[in-house]
Amino acid sequence: MMNFFKRIEVLLLLLLGGGAVIWVFTDKPAAVGDPQPVEAAEKSAPLVIHRCTLERDFGNARLDIELRYRNASPRPLILQPPDVKLLTGDGKEVPPFILATEKPPQIAAQTSQDVRLRYWLDKSHLVGTLSLDIRGSTAEVKTAVPLEVEKLENRKPKTWPGSIR
């Protein structure tokens, strides 16, 4: 048994394993956006869209919206309906894209944070405008220019800075 621990391969594996364990317990998980106190972000708009990514899935598309929101409320904000709505030009609400394994994003009270929202769109959603409404703060997600899903490559994400043009 003692000869087993004298082998260089075993010692190397033990060192690497120990290092991996230490790294896992000391490393802080990367968040989409670290929360900042509201006072630091008060000069900016409460809702800013950084990027929109559209990925075609045959006749439909998944829309990822990366945004920064300032939650000035004294309670945390869970980013799901009825507080958060993606609306078409005629006022219809687009349902969010929710995976059972993912929790909806949340912004702590009195902070500003970067988050990502997902929506499942069909062809009719991409004909007109889309706007995101979070507790009364509204931002344009897509302009009125029609976007044809068939012109996008299947399973190839297309990204726009800000809103979709």
Side-chain angles (χ1 to χ4, degrees), residues 15-143:
L15 283 173
L16 287 174
V21 168
I22 291 170
W23 178 72
V24 165
F25 285 115
T26 59
D27 190 37
K28 184 176 156 183
V32 172
D34 293 329
Q36 296 177 353
V38 169
E39 298 83 30
E42 252 180 43
K43 295 178 179 110
S44 66
L47 174 60
V48 178
I49 295 180
H50 297 304
R51 177 181 18 247
C52 291
T53 304
L54 197 63
E55 183 176 338
R56 177 181 170 199
D57 188 11
F58 299 101
N60 299 314
R62 189 187 75 215
L63 172 65
D64 291 349
I65 305 170
E66 295 176 35
L67 60 101
R68 182 172 221 24
Y69 183 73
R70 183 178 67 228
N71 182 13
S73 169
R75 65 180 176 92
L77 170 63
I78 298 172
L79 294 166
Q80 61 184 11
D83 290 328
V84 179
K85 297 179 225 171
L86 182 64
L87 301 169
T88 60
D90 55 358
K92 293 181 182 173
E93 189 173 340
V94 178
F97 179 74
I98 300 172
L99 293 173
T101 57
E102 289 182 1
K103 288 184 177 181
Q106 183 173 345
I107 300 176
Q110 304 292 322
T111 61
S112 182
Q113 186 174 342
D114 289 336
V115 293
R116 182 186 67 202
L117 299 176
R118 287 187 163 169
Y119 290 91
W120 191 252
L121 307 177
D122 60 21
K123 291 178 188 179
S124 66
H125 295 134
L126 296 169
V127 173
T129 62
L130 289 172
S131 61
L132 184 67
D133 183 313
I134 302 178
R135 288 188 177 165
S137 298
T138 306
E140 180 183 61
V141 174
K142 184 189 164 303
T143 61

